[in-house]
Every structure is written in structure tokens, then in C-alpha cells.
């Protein structure tokens, strides 16, 4: 018999031990079983898990446990994204070595994750700060170097003065460091880069097959890759043999190009001003305006300023002489660093031309007629070309094609595709990262470390004082080495790799975490990958998720995998907030999971964090919610304890009462409907919150019908079946209490090894209603749905209708009004 008290702490300890001793979640490749690889983005070992972790990992755990019960061979691994600046900063501030700080944090967080009951295969645990992991970072780097995909050059980079290191373009947000929010400054440095631009088109075209990614994530990636199709045109300089190349996506407007603009950093700017009588003035102005950041792709924001170089160029289409200006809103990092200014058809150019009294000439109009009055703003749409010589009267699309072809025939232009994406700068001037496996020899130049000498280990005995430079710069025993090619004196590279390198391929390593001849065994990867469900935050859309896709393609081209895309299904979970703000120590609104676990137990925390909102949506923490899930679990515990006699093998003489047929039918129907709904909510929609809601309603139905059915043997059998299925369905969400009740009610096989319950489709049929769909109050369509359809599902169903999609289009949906079982009104 069960003990009376619901002692969640004791129950948790018991089942943690059982699962660990049995290796309940260990994954072994089995070609006879269908696999499911569920992966949450692995954590940085900061010291404690936070509510964002709890939500992310609880989502993955529910789906993994569900798939296990459905008979899948599930790989659900965990590890540590353990390198990076916080550990080094801790070493500087607290006098503790990054390795010890990291190890201590992992120890504590691992204990927390185990307490949460997550179904991880801990035998596959990885730690990116271990040499047996970062050895393979170095191996991959050398392969990239051999393929010409890793190179070193002097370049202007993003420098964070506080972190004392370079940042990749993707790590600069609004000209500030993504980690510390410090103002980033441009700096010239020798850096190592990975040629991600080599895969720009494939990274973009791959989106076509990624149907199970959130559209806003794909949009963020498309914008970052930034494909532009247009033409490159050469404008010859009037008093020189040189020419200036410009890239334009609107060559149809070239007859309206009335001046050229160069970036202050364009290679020609220095030459253009050297003979000017205003040389010093021009030079001073350009120095003041050389503030474009490598990661800045928003030219034209803020005050537009410029200066006339005094030099002139020829418009190759018109033969007209036009001035060459230098402007602060033209970036060297995009296109050629020079643009043809067409003020009538580009608002930035229009504002610049008005400010400096430069000509404005309209050459495209909506109706093919020149404007009858002075333009008040730029006309930026496509239209019909006017005042453009032989191209007049053609549509913009026709003119763009013919003008590009004409320029190519004449030898001063060609069609071209450009991308905003820039190569990934991976050099970091910090200690706690993977050493770049390169040696510099005066005789031989750059030499890769031989594969047999990997890993290049981080030296332990270094000083952490902060300030300029990496601790490795002062580690003489690390720096001085022998050239593997000529045997002469040489020095090691002291920069370490961006830690996003570590996380760009870790999902491969989970397949073969102990492999010592390759980063992973191709046959293991062939079985487990791709990742069937990847769960993480949307903030990684243009950092980790682009890099990981890039690495997958590189490893494919190295012959280690046949896979093109690693993550066919991405679930971007929403943030956990409190009082409408992201949780942070500085705001004093952090809720410590450990406090909640002590007070309410693991199952209550898991259940609440999944019940509060759909996984993809943000939700605001409210402790009353976890009090509610704790009470719900306590009611289940009490109900089963009071009715444990139903599961005992004893005389049936007390069960000879008359069967209440209507009660029997109600519970039987609800049982099949609930199994169907929970199954589909988990498997098809990941609507875990509505699954939990259904289980709460189902439990209430069981309690309601119990007294009408427990006097008849047939009724008792249905009650037992209904109660057992409640435990089965609830177990992925609240595994501890369910396993304990299941065992106590006489079931020898644990729930995690018990098959997921099935349902009878006929008995699970629900009463349907017709719901009308309005757009701004006008009837536009209708659909059939089960009575009691949830608001979120009704909204989704309405917005999926073809007629509604064509009406709403790209309009912003302000709100959706739902009248249950009757109508959905979409307000745009």
C-alpha cells in the first residue's frame, strides 16, 4: 500500500537512483528500430540552471519520453558548451582557474538536471573544454585550412574593449557587444576567417526544404545572408584611366544616376584627394567618418553627410559627367564600397541630394510618363522607364535585363549576385578557448600542426590579470615551439577559436562521443542524424543556427556525412519572463529553480512551466501557477491512495451493483478522446499546454464518474483502465509521481517501458461544430472543428485557410477574436 503523505523529495530520490542504476535512458544503435534524435541546445555551465533551461529541457524531455513509450529508439543527449569568456572573467575577478570554475559549475548543474528527472543518456555526455573534444575542433580547422576554407588576413574587425577580444559580425547588435553590451569599436588586426560565404547560396536555398522551421527564424537568416541580384557597372573616371565599380540592384534607374558616392574606406578615396587643394580638409573629414563597423548592415540611418572630392566620372549609359562624393552612409563592407546615387529613386540619395543641392532626375514612373511636378520624395517602386534612351517605355524588369546585357556586351558591366553575409572571423584574444593549431615559422611561413600532434593543449600554468592581450601571449613555454616542417624555431598562434566553433558540430559528436580516430563515426551519424527535433531560443537564429548549418555542409564535403541539413524540425521556445521582463540578476526578478523544487517538487515545476503557455510563446512567471499544479498532483496522489483497492486482487462480491450505463459511456468516450488529444498534441503540434489541460479535465471526469461505477465489476474494470491511462499520459510531464503510483498499484514494469496507450478512432470522435471566419467583421470562410476547440487552435486553423491567407497576405494581424464554437474574427 502507498504511504499517506505525498513526499515528493523522497519519491524523486528513489526514481533518480532507479533510472541511473538501470541505465534507463541509454541509447544503443539498433537498425531494427525506428530512431528519434531529440536535442535541446546544450547549456553554458554558468553555475546554476535558470527557468529558461527548465522550460527548454522539460519540452524535450516530454517528447523524448513520449517517443520512448511509442517504441522509438530515442537519442536524448546532454553536454556542456564549456569554453568562453565568462570562465576567464571569473578567473580574473575571483582568482580561480577557468578549468576549476567550469568543472565546479558542471558538477552543480549536473546534479540539478538529474533532479529534474530528464531522460538524458549521460554516457554520451560531452564537455567542449576537454582536450578530447577540442582536439576535433583543431582537426576540423586543419581540414578547412587544407580546403582553402580557413585563411588569415589583416582586416578591420569588431573589437570589444571590455571583453578585450574580437567579435564576429553576428555578435554585434546595434554596434554593441552581444555579451556585455559595451560599445564596439573598429580595429585593424590579423585574423583567422572561415569562408562561410562559399556556402552562402546553399545556406539560402536550403530554406526551401526547411518546412518545419518558424518562418520568422528563416526570415532572420535570409536577411542576414542578404542575397542581392543585380549588375556591376564600371564608371570611368574623367581625368584618369581608372574606373569605379558599383553594384546596383536597380540598373533600370542608371539614367537617373547624377553622382557617385564612395565609402570613406574605399581604396580610391586617398588617391582622389591627394592632389586636391582641399586635401587636409578632405582627409580630416574622412578620418572622422571612418566609423563603419564590419557587422553594420544598416547604412543610411542617422544624419547623412558627405564631401565632394572634386573628381568626376562618366555615366557609361549617358556619357554625362557626374561628381564623385564621399559619404558616411556608404559602407565598404557591402557591395563594392561605391554606389551610383539615383536621388529620384532612392530615399537616402534623395535626402543627400537635397542637402547638397545635387541634381534629381526621375527615370521611372508608375505610368510611363515623366512626373509633372517636382518630386517631394523618392519613387522607389518598379514601374515604366522614362527618359532613358532606347530603354524608355520598357518595364523596370525588362529594362534591368536588357541594360545588364547591354553593359556586358560593351565590356563595362555584368550581371552579378552579392551577399551581405561576410566570412566568419573566429580569432579570439582570450585564453579559455580552443587553441588554433597553427605554427609560424620565419622560413616556412604558416604551418598547420601535424594531426598526430593534436590536441594542442591549453597550458594550465598561466596568469589571469585582465587588461590588454590574452594570457597565452605571456605563456613562453606555450608560444615557443619547433617548426614541424623544417625543424627550426617557431612560435604558436596565441589566438583561440570563437566558441561558436565548438557548438557548430557538437550534435555529430553525441553520436560517437568516445570515438578517437575521427570526430565521429560516419556509420553512427548515418543512423542517428539528422536531429529529428531541435529545441532552443530564437536568439540563436543568425549565430549558432547558421554556423551549424555551415559546418554540416563542410563535413558533408569532407565525406564524413551525406546529410545536407542537420535540423529538419526546429522548435523555438519562448522566453520565461517575470513582471513582463526577462529574468536577470540586475533586475532582481530571478526565480531560482532550486527554491521551487524544495517548496513544490520537480513534477509540479515541470507541469507548470509546460502548462503556462504553448512552448513557442513567451510566458510570465507567476508562483500561483505552480501552487496550482502542486495541488493538482496532490489531488491525484490522494485519489489513487483512496482507491488503491480497485487494483487489489480480492473478492469481487462487493462489485455486484447495477451498472450505470450512461456514466460508463461518458467515461469510456472521454478516455478515448483524451488519449487521442494528448497523443496528437504531443506528436503533431507540440501543444503541451493543451495536452495538460485535457488531462486535468480527464481526471475531473474520472472523479465525477467514480462513485457511479465502483459498485459494478465492469464499471470497476473501466475505472482501472481509465486511471492507468491517466498515469501513462501524465508520465512524460510528471514522471516521478506517476512512476511511484504505477509501481504501488501493482505494475511490475516501469511506465517508461510501458507502451503508450492506444485509442479507438470511432469512440474518440467528438461532436463537431461549424465555425465561421470573419476578416474585419466580414464573413469570409468557415471550417468544421470539434466542439470546445481551444482559442490557439481556432486561430491557427482560421489563418491556415487558403482564402483567409490570400485576404490577409502580409498585413499585420492586430488581434483575433474567438467566440467559442461559433466564430473567429481576424482584425488587421
Amino acid at each position: 500500500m502507498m504511504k499517506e503523505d505525498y513526499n515528493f523529495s523522497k519519491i524523486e530520490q528513489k526514481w533518480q537512483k532507479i533510472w541511473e542504476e538501470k541505465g534507463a535512458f541509454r541509447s544503443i544503435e539498433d537498425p531494427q528500430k525506428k530512431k528519434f534524435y531529440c536535442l535541446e541546445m546544450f547549456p553554458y555551465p554558468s553555475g546554476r540552471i535558470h527557468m529558461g533551461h527548465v522550460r527548454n529541457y522539460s519540452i524535450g524531455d516530454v517528447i523524448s519520453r513520449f517517443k520512448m513509450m511509442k517504441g522509438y529508439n530515442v537519442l536524448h543527449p546532454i553536454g556542456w558548451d564549456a569554453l568562453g569568456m565568462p570562465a576567464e572573467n571569473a578567473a580574473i575577478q575571483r582568482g580561480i582557474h577557468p578549468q576549476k570554475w567550469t568543472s565546479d559549475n558542471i558538477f552543480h548543474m549536473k546534479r540539478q538536471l538529474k533532479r529534474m528527472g530528464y531522460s538524458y543518456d549521460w554516457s554520451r555526455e560531452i564537455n567542449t573544454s576537454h582536450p578530447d573534444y577540442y582536439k576535433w575542433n583543431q582537426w576540423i580547422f586543419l581540414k578547412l585550412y587544407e580546403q582553402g576554407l580557413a585563411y588569415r588576413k589583416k582586416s578591420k574587425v569588431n573589437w570589444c574593449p571590455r571583453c578585450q577580444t574580437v567579435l564576429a559580425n553576428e555578435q554585434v547588435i546595434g554596434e554593441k557587444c552581444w555579451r556585455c553590451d559595451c560599445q564596439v569599436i573598429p580595429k585593424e588586426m590579423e585574423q583567422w576567417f572561415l569562408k562561410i560565404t562559399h556556402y552562402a547560396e546553399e545556406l539560402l536555398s536550403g530554406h526551401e526544404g526547411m518546412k518545419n522551421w518558424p518562418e520568422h527564424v528563416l526570415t532572420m537568416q535570409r536577411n542576414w545572408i542578404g542575397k542581392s541580384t543585380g549588375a556591376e557597372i564600371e564608371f570611368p573616371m574623367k581625368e584618369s584611366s581608372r574606373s569605379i565599380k558599383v553594384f546596383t540592384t536597380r540598373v533600370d534607374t542608371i539614367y537617373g544616376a547624377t553622382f557617385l558616392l564612395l565609402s570613406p574606406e574605399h581604396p580610391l578615396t586617398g588617391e582622389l584627394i591627394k592632389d586636391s587643394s582641399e586635401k587636409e580638409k578632405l582627409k580630416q573629414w574622412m578620418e572622422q567618418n571612418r566609423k563603419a563597423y564590419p557587422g553594420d548592415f544598416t547604412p543610411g540611418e542617422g544624419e547623412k553627410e558627405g564631401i565632394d572630392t572634386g573628381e568626376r566620372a562618366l555615366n557609361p549609359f549617358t556619357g554625362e559627367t557626374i561628381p564623385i562624393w564621399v559619404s558616411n552612409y556608404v559602407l565598404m563592407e557591402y557591395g563594392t564600397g561605391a554606389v551610383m546615387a539615383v536621388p529620384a529613386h532612392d530615399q537616402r540619395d534623395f535626402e543627400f541630394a537635397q542637402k547638397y543641392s545635387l541634381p534629381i532626375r526621375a527615370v521611372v514612373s508608375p505610368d510611363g510618363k515623366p512626373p509633372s511636378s517636382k518630386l517631394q520624395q523618392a519613387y522607389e517602386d518598379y514601374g515604366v522607364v522614362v527618359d532613358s534612351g532606347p530603354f524608355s517605355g520598357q518595364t523596370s524588369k525588362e529594362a534591368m535585363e536588357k541594360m545588364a546585357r547591354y553593359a556586358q556586351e560593351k565590356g563595362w558591366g555584368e550581371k552579378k549576385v552579392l551577399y551581405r553575409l561576410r566570412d566568419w572571423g573566429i580569432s579570439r584574444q582570450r585564453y579559455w578557448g580552443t587553441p588554433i593549431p597553427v605554427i609560424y615559422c620565419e622560413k616556412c611561413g604558416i604551418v598547420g600542426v601535424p594531426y598526430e600532434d593534436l590536441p594542442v593543449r591549453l597550458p594550465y600554468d598561466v596568469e589571469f590579470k585582465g587588461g590588454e592581450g590574452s594570457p597565452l601571449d605571456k605563456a613562453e613555454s606555450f608560444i615557443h615551439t619547433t617548426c614541424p616542417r623544417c625543424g627550426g624555431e617557431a612560435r604558436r598562434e596565441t589566438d583561440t577559436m570563437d566558441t561558436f566553433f565548438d557548438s557548430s558540430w557538437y550534435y555529430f559528436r553525441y553520436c560517437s562521443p568516445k570515438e578517437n580516430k575521427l570526430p565521429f563515426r560516419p556509420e553512427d551519424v548515418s543512423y542517428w542524424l539528422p536531429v529529428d527535433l531541435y529545441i532552443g531560443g530564437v536568439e540563436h537564429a543568425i549565430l549558432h543556427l547558421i554556423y551549424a548549418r555551415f559546418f554540416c555542409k563542410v563535413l558533408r564535403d569532407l565525406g564524413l556525412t551525406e546529410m545536407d541539413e542537420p535540423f529538419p524540425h526546429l522548435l523555438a521556445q519562448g522566453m520565461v519572463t517575470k513582471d513582463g521582463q526577462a529574468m536577470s540578476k540586475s533586475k532582481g526578478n530571478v526565480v531560482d529553480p532550486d527554491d521551487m523544487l524544495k517548496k513544490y517538487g520537480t513534477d509540479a515545476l515541470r507541469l507548470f512551466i509546460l502548462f503556462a503557455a504553448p512552448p513557442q510563446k513567451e510566458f510570465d512567471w507567476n508562483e500561483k501557477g505552480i501552487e496550482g499544479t502542486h495541488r493538482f498532483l496532490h489531488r491525484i496522489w490522494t485519489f489513487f491512495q483512496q482507491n488503491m483497492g480497485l487494483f487489489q486482487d480480492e473478492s469481487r462480491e462487493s462489485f455486484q451493483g447495477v451498472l450505470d450505463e450512461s456514466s460508463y459511456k461518458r467515461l469510456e468516450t472521454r478516455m478515448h478522446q483524451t488519449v487521442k488529444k494528448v497523443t496528437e498534441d504531443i506528436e503533431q503540434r507540440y501543444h503541451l499546454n493543451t495536452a495538460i489541460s485535457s488531462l486535468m479535465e480527464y481526471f475531473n471526469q474520472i472523479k465525477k464518474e467514480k462513485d457511479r461505477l465502483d459498485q459494478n465489476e465492469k464499471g470497476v474494470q473501466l475505472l482501472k483502465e481509465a486511471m492507468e491511462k491517466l498515469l501513462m499520459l501524465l508520465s512524460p510531464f510528471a514522471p516521478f509521481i506517476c512512476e511511484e503510483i504505477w509501481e504501488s498499484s501493482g505494475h511490475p514494469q516501469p511506465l517508461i517501458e510501458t507502451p503508450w496507450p492506444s485509442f479507438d478512432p470511432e469512440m474518440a470522435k467528438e461532436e463537431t461544430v461549424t465555425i465561421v471566419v470573419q476578416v474585419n467583421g466580414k464573413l469570409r470562410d468557415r471550417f468544421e472543428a470539434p466542439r470546445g476547440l481551444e482559442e490557439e487552435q481556432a486561430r491557427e486553423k482560421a489563418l491556415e485557410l487558403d482564402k483567409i491567407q490570400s485576404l490577409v497576405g502580409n498585413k499585420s494581424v492586430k488581434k483575433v477574436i474567438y467566440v467559442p464554437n461559433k466564430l473567429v474574427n481576424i482584425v488587421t
Side-chain angles (χ1 to χ4, degrees):
M1 292 291 291
M2 293 172 62
K3 294 182 179 179
E4 291 191 6
D5 292 335
Y6 172 35
N7 187 334
F8 56 77
S9 180
K10 188 174 181 180
I11 292 169
E12 289 165 12
Q13 291 174 32
K14 170 185 170 180
W15 286 99
Q16 286 169 29
K17 186 178 179 183
I18 289 172
W19 292 329
E20 191 157 349
E21 288 176 350
K22 291 184 67 175
F25 310 119
R26 185 160 293 191
S27 309
I28 299 172
E29 294 75 18
D30 182 354
Q32 304 305 311
K33 292 181 73 175
K34 190 174 180 181
K35 66 91 184 180
F36 189 85
Y37 186 171
C38 182
L39 182 62
E40 303 99 50
M41 294 179 187
F42 65 166
Y44 180 81
S46 57
R48 307 182 78 82
I49 65 170
H50 53 66
M51 283 302 175
H53 290 133
V54 173
R55 190 180 197 201
N56 188 356
Y57 304 149
S58 296
I59 293 167
D61 193 59
V62 167
I63 293 160
S64 295
R65 286 174 173 274
F66 167 77
K67 289 292 185 179
M68 289 175 194
M69 294 175 74
K70 290 280 280 186
Y72 284 79
N73 190 18
V74 173
L75 174 58
H76 189 208
I78 190 66
W80 310 98
D81 191 7
L83 292 169
M85 286 184 285
E88 194 166 339
N89 290 338
I92 295 166
Q93 295 161 10
R94 306 174 195 178
I96 182 172
H97 196 281
Q99 189 177 91
K100 178 167 174 47
W101 188 82
T102 301
S103 297
D104 290 349
N105 287 351
I106 287 174
F107 178 82
H108 181 71
M109 291 177 71
K110 188 172 180 177
R111 183 186 61 79
Q112 288 182 299
L113 292 178
K114 286 188 173 183
R115 183 171 180 185
M116 289 299 303
Y118 296 139
S119 56
Y120 292 133
D121 180 354
W122 286 100
S123 71
R124 293 176 182 262
E125 179 184 10
I126 61 174
N127 179 337
T128 63
S129 69
H130 282 180
D132 61 359
Y133 184 89
Y134 69 66
K135 167 185 178 177
W136 300 110
N137 283 348
Q138 295 168 343
W139 188 95
I140 293 168
F141 175 89
L142 291 171
K143 292 296 181 185
L144 289 164
Y145 183 56
E146 290 168 6
Q147 299 293 318
L149 295 172
Y151 64 93
R152 191 171 187 257
K153 72 169 184 177
K154 193 169 187 178
S155 174
K156 189 171 82 169
V157 294
N158 311 295
W159 179 260
C160 176
R162 185 176 298 162
C163 295
Q164 284 290 303
T165 191
V166 166
L167 303 174
N169 292 341
E170 294 83 350
Q171 294 166 334
V172 179
I173 302 171
E175 298 185 0
K176 292 187 177 182
C177 173
W178 71 295
R179 189 180 292 280
C180 72
D181 211 34
C182 176
Q183 185 73 28
V184 173
I185 60 173
K187 191 173 184 177
E188 288 270 341
M189 295 181 72
E190 288 278 354
Q191 293 284 293
W192 281 97
F193 291 86
L194 301 186
K195 198 176 282 187
I196 192 172
T197 52
H198 183 72
Y199 291 89
E201 182 57 37
E202 194 179 353
L203 287 168
L204 197 60
S205 62
H207 288 158
E208 293 301 314
M210 296 160 69
K211 304 299 183 186
N212 290 315
W213 276 46
E215 184 57 36
H216 65 286
V217 174
L218 295 178
T219 298
M220 290 167 75
Q221 288 202 0
R222 288 188 201 105
N223 291 342
W224 190 258
I225 296 167
K227 183 178 181 179
S228 297
T229 303
E232 190 172 82
I233 307 293
E234 289 187 38
F235 283 69
M237 291 181 62
K238 190 170 183 184
E239 305 296 338
S240 168
S241 60
R242 292 177 305 213
S243 61
I244 297 173
K245 286 184 178 181
V246 305
F247 173 78
T248 177
T249 58
R250 292 296 304 272
V251 71
D252 58 314
T253 66
I254 198 166
Y255 278 78
T258 56
F259 54 99
L260 290 183
L261 292 171
L262 303 184
S263 163
E265 299 194 316
H266 194 285
L268 273 178
T269 55
E271 294 182 42
L272 292 180
I273 67 171
K274 68 181 180 182
D275 297 324
S276 172
S277 59
E278 300 284 337
K279 179 180 177 181
E280 289 307 315
K281 178 183 175 184
L282 289 164
K283 188 176 180 182
Q284 184 180 3
W285 183 91
M286 283 192 289
E287 284 301 320
Q288 290 174 348
N289 284 276
R290 278 181 178 159
K291 56 187 178 183
Y293 292 83
D296 185 357
F297 290 132
T298 54
E301 293 182 0
E303 185 66 25
K304 297 163 190 63
E305 295 181 355
I307 194 162
D308 189 351
T309 66
E311 297 288 338
R312 299 294 180 260
L314 296 174
N315 184 324
F317 276 80
T318 66
E320 178 184 10
T321 300
I322 59 175
I324 303 171
W325 284 63
V326 181
S327 174
N328 65 344
Y329 74 90
V330 180
L331 298 182
M332 193 63 222
E333 290 296 313
Y334 185 64
T336 65
V339 300
M340 65 176 206
V342 187
H345 304 294
D346 184 289
Q347 188 60 30
R348 297 166 303 172
D349 297 346
F350 182 85
E351 292 167 9
F352 188 89
Q354 283 196 317
K355 181 172 183 175
Y356 293 105
S357 301
L358 293 163
I360 299 174
R361 182 183 306 134
V363 291
V364 175
S365 70
D367 56 6
K369 298 176 183 177
S372 56
S373 59
K374 185 179 177 180
L375 291 176
Q376 300 303 308
Q377 63 180 28
Y379 175 74
E380 297 185 317
D381 290 341
Y382 294 118
V384 179
V385 173
V386 298
D387 293 337
S388 298
F391 304 100
S392 296
Q394 297 176 10
T395 66
S396 289
K397 296 285 188 183
E398 292 169 338
M400 287 162 70
E401 180 68 29
K402 291 179 180 178
M403 286 178 174
R405 192 184 312 137
Y406 178 74
Q408 191 156 349
E409 289 169 358
K410 291 294 183 181
W412 33 258
E414 62 178 337
K415 288 183 182 179
K416 199 142 192 177
V417 175
L418 288 186
Y419 299 90
R420 295 171 102 180
L421 182 68
R422 292 293 174 264
D423 283 341
W424 175 13
I426 63 160
S427 295
R428 297 293 179 269
Q429 293 66 45
R430 299 302 292 257
Y431 166 80
W432 196 234
T434 299
I436 295 175
V438 162
I439 291 169
Y440 300 103
C441 172
E442 284 192 14
K443 181 179 176 182
C444 304
I446 297 174
V447 182
V449 173
Y451 289 103
E452 61 269 20
D453 292 344
L454 298 180
V456 177
R457 293 174 180 265
L458 284 168
Y460 188 84
D461 189 17
V462 294
E463 287 188 281
F464 298 96
K465 294 182 178 179
E468 189 77 25
S470 163
L472 290 178
D473 291 335
K474 306 171 190 70
E476 296 294 325
S477 62
F478 175 80
I479 295 170
H480 298 297
T481 188
T482 302
C483 174
R485 191 172 293 166
C486 72
E489 290 185 3
R491 64 180 178 86
R492 291 193 188 279
E493 172 64 78
T494 57
D495 284 353
T496 54
M497 296 182 194
D498 180 2
T499 53
F500 277 100
F501 195 112
D502 314 346
S503 59
S504 293
W505 69 280
Y506 79 111
Y507 52 93
F508 281 99
R509 186 65 180 171
Y510 280 136
C511 299
S512 312
K514 305 295 190 294
E515 171 62 26
N516 58 15
K517 293 180 181 177
L518 287 169
F520 48 84
R521 287 171 44 190
E523 56 267 37
D524 292 343
V525 162
S526 179
Y527 176 75
W528 288 115
L529 284 167
V531 174
D532 294 284
L533 180 64
Y534 197 32
I535 307 168
V538 71
E539 67 271 17
H540 297 293
I542 55 171
L543 287 163
H544 164 62
L545 288 171
I546 282 185
Y547 295 153
R549 295 180 60 221
F550 162 51
F551 263 54
C552 180
K553 297 172 196 315
V554 167
L555 293 169
R556 175 202 63 197
D557 292 348
L558 290 173
L560 292 172
T561 180
E562 296 179 356
M563 181 175 60
D564 296 324
E565 292 289 346
F567 314 126
H569 198 141
L570 174 69
L571 195 162
Q573 101 276 357
M575 187 182 293
V576 182
T577 61
K578 188 169 187 289
D579 305 322
Q581 294 182 306
M583 290 188 187
S584 73
K585 291 179 182 177
S586 62
K587 293 172 184 169
N589 65 348
V590 171
V591 177
D592 188 338
D594 279 354
D595 294 341
M596 297 298 104
L597 293 176
K598 288 174 188 172
K599 192 172 181 181
Y600 301 107
T602 297
D603 286 333
L605 177 57
R606 287 172 56 122
L607 204 59
F608 169 60
I609 212 156
L610 296 171
F611 176 59
Q616 300 89 339
K617 302 291 185 183
E618 184 178 289
F619 91 89
D620 201 54
W621 178 269
N622 185 327
E623 193 165 334
K624 289 182 179 178
I626 192 171
E627 289 172 1
T629 54
H630 178 70
R631 287 195 301 270
F632 169 68
L633 293 173
H634 204 280
R635 286 197 297 271
I636 286 180
W637 177 270
T638 302
F639 180 78
F640 272 85
Q641 179 175 279
Q642 291 171 344
N643 292 282
M644 198 55 67
L646 297 174
F647 295 91
Q648 307 303 317
D649 291 327
E650 55 189 39
S651 171
R652 297 296 181 203
E653 292 179 4
S654 59
F655 299 148
Q656 299 304 312
V658 178
L659 178 67
D660 187 326
E661 295 286 352
S662 60
S663 178
Y664 186 96
K665 182 63 176 176
R666 280 195 303 271
L667 183 57
E668 186 180 38
T669 300
R670 174 57 70 92
M671 180 176 68
H672 287 277
Q673 288 175 345
T674 303
V675 174
K676 178 177 186 291
K677 177 135 185 17
V678 173
T679 302
E680 292 176 354
D681 278 350
I682 297 175
E683 194 166 42
Q684 299 176 14
R685 296 182 284 268
Y686 303 124
H687 285 181
L688 307 184
N689 60 316
T690 57
I692 294 169
S693 178
S694 297
L695 289 170
M696 290 176 171
E697 292 172 4
Y698 177 49
F699 175 55
N700 289 336
Q701 188 80 35
I702 292 172
K703 288 199 301 178
K704 182 178 178 181
E705 307 298 348
K706 183 259 173 186
D707 289 341
R708 299 187 180 99
L709 297 173
D710 65 358
Q711 300 303 310
N712 177 275
E713 186 168 350
K714 184 179 178 183
V716 166
Q717 291 306 313
L718 177 63
L719 269 175
K720 282 178 59 180
E721 182 184 1
M723 292 164 71
E724 286 172 337
K725 286 187 174 176
L726 173 65
L727 294 176
M728 293 179 193
L729 297 173
L730 184 61
S731 65
F733 302 92
F736 290 110
I737 189 173
C738 291
E739 286 284 14
E740 182 67 17
I741 296 173
W742 184 261
E743 181 189 66
S744 299
S745 58
H747 297 87
Q749 186 180 40
L751 269 172
I752 194 63
E753 298 173 14
T754 304
W756 187 256
S758 59
F759 60 89
D760 183 330
E762 285 300 312
M763 297 200 69
K765 282 184 178 177
E766 299 180 66
E767 180 189 352
T768 59
V769 292
T770 300
I771 296 178
V772 300
V773 182
Q774 299 175 340
V775 176
N776 297 323
K778 293 184 179 179
L779 176 62
R780 298 299 188 187
D781 209 342
R782 51 176 53 85
F783 64 87
E784 296 292 314
R787 178 177 289 279
L789 187 69
E790 301 278 344
E791 183 173 351
E792 184 76 20
Q793 293 171 297
R795 173 195 172 100
E796 284 185 12
K797 187 87 172 171
L799 289 170
E800 284 171 359
L801 296 170
D802 291 341
K803 191 180 290 186
I804 302 304
Q805 285 186 354
S806 64
L807 285 167
V808 174
N810 293 324
K811 295 175 186 174
S812 174
V813 176
K814 294 178 181 176
K815 63 178 177 177
V816 176
I817 301 167
Y818 177 50
V819 179
N821 305 317
K822 292 183 179 179
L823 72 84
V824 177
N825 182 19
I826 300 163
V827 181
T828 62

